[in-house]
Amino acid sequence: IVVYAPKDVLAQMRRVVEELDRPGSEAAVGRNIEMTLAFLLCSTKTPPEARALPADLEPVARQLRAVTLYKDIRLWDIVPFHLQEGKSMEHSLRLPSITPDVPGAVVTAQLRIIPESVSRRESGRYVRFEKLSMGLSIPYPAPKPAPGAPASLNFQYQQVGLTTSGDFKEGQKSVLGKVSGIDDETAVFAVISLRVLD
């Protein structure tokens, strides 16, 4: 195969050809993928009362309780994405505040997702991510500002995040990992689920 194209297109063509050479490949250029990203807010404190999670996230919460010290696991937010195989996506979003004692502060997230390919195995279809990274900017109360200081000085931001890659199975909830501890008792975990559109 001879391809004359810009470097980024050549790199994508090389990935597609490599994927086509693998047994069971479904490397169709531009296959569409629906991804749901759920953020779980987890605390080591025992909740005063049980908090219901969506039924499909309950097994994830049970696993987290079994392998971590986090007892209180609640849904922070769910964000849907539409991805295309072989195309990188960058996205910014705002998440609900998790610090009610910091009025006016918002949580922002920056995501970069590169779904490299889709392949079929005996156990099902998988999406390979060359890269999936997210960075969160989480506000926390700042030391008391001087009298008359603007409200924006009432909080500071903690930068946390994670970067991963690998193969993730279609139709299965996968914990990407702990985004990072917000403090000694609280952390955020990211969970994805995928559906390849035929």
Side-chain angles (χ1 to χ4, degrees):
I1 298 173
V2 179
V3 179
Y4 296 95
K7 283 186 177 180
D8 59 333
V9 175
L10 284 174
Q12 183 177 346
M13 290 299 296
R14 182 173 283 114
R15 284 196 300 270
V16 169
V17 171
E18 287 171 359
E19 188 63 29
L20 283 167
D21 283 341
R22 295 179 187 156
S25 170
E26 291 191 0
V29 177
R31 189 179 293 273
N32 292 307
I33 304 159
E34 285 183 353
M35 183 180 93
T36 301
L37 177 61
F39 292 97
L40 298 179
L41 193 58
C42 306
S43 173
T44 56
K45 295 178 180 177
T46 303
E49 57 187 40
R51 299 184 187 187
L53 282 168
D56 61 331
L57 286 171
E58 280 293 351
V60 176
R62 279 197 299 274
Q63 285 183 340
L64 286 174
R65 289 188 191 101
V67 299
T68 69
L69 298 175
Y70 299 107
K71 304 301 176 207
D72 183 12
I73 299 176
R74 55 192 163 108
L75 179 62
W76 179 16
D77 203 5
I78 295 180
V79 184
F81 292 97
H82 184 84
L83 309 174
Q84 194 168 18
E85 179 184 2
K87 289 191 176 178
S88 66
M89 184 207 74
E90 295 189 18
H91 190 74
S92 301
L93 57 108
R94 293 173 75 154
L95 298 170
S97 175
I98 53 175
T99 47
D101 54 338
V102 188
V106 294
V107 179
T108 57
Q110 300 290 328
L111 290 96
R112 182 156 194 252
I113 305 169
I114 307 175
E116 184 180 348
S117 61
V118 176
S119 62
R120 183 178 293 280
R121 302 177 192 169
E122 287 183 15
S123 57
R125 288 195 292 193
Y126 288 77
V127 177
R128 169 167 294 166
F129 287 99
E130 179 182 318
K131 183 175 188 178
L132 199 161
S133 66
M134 64 184 70
L136 299 182
S137 185
I138 300 175
Y140 64 92
K144 221 166 178 88
S152 61
L153 298 180
N154 290 333
F155 50 86
Q156 297 173 339
Y157 286 92
Q158 178 184 18
Q159 308 299 323
V160 297
L162 70 78
T163 299
T164 190
S165 61
D167 296 351
F168 296 89
K169 187 177 180 182
E170 179 184 24
Q172 176 178 293
K173 293 272 188 288
S174 300
V175 177
L176 295 180
K178 181 178 172 180
V179 175
S180 189
I182 296 170
D183 54 41
D184 293 339
E185 299 174 333
T186 312
V188 173
F189 283 81
V191 181
I192 63 166
S193 59
L194 301 161
R195 185 165 74 95
V196 180
L197 303 180
D198 291 317

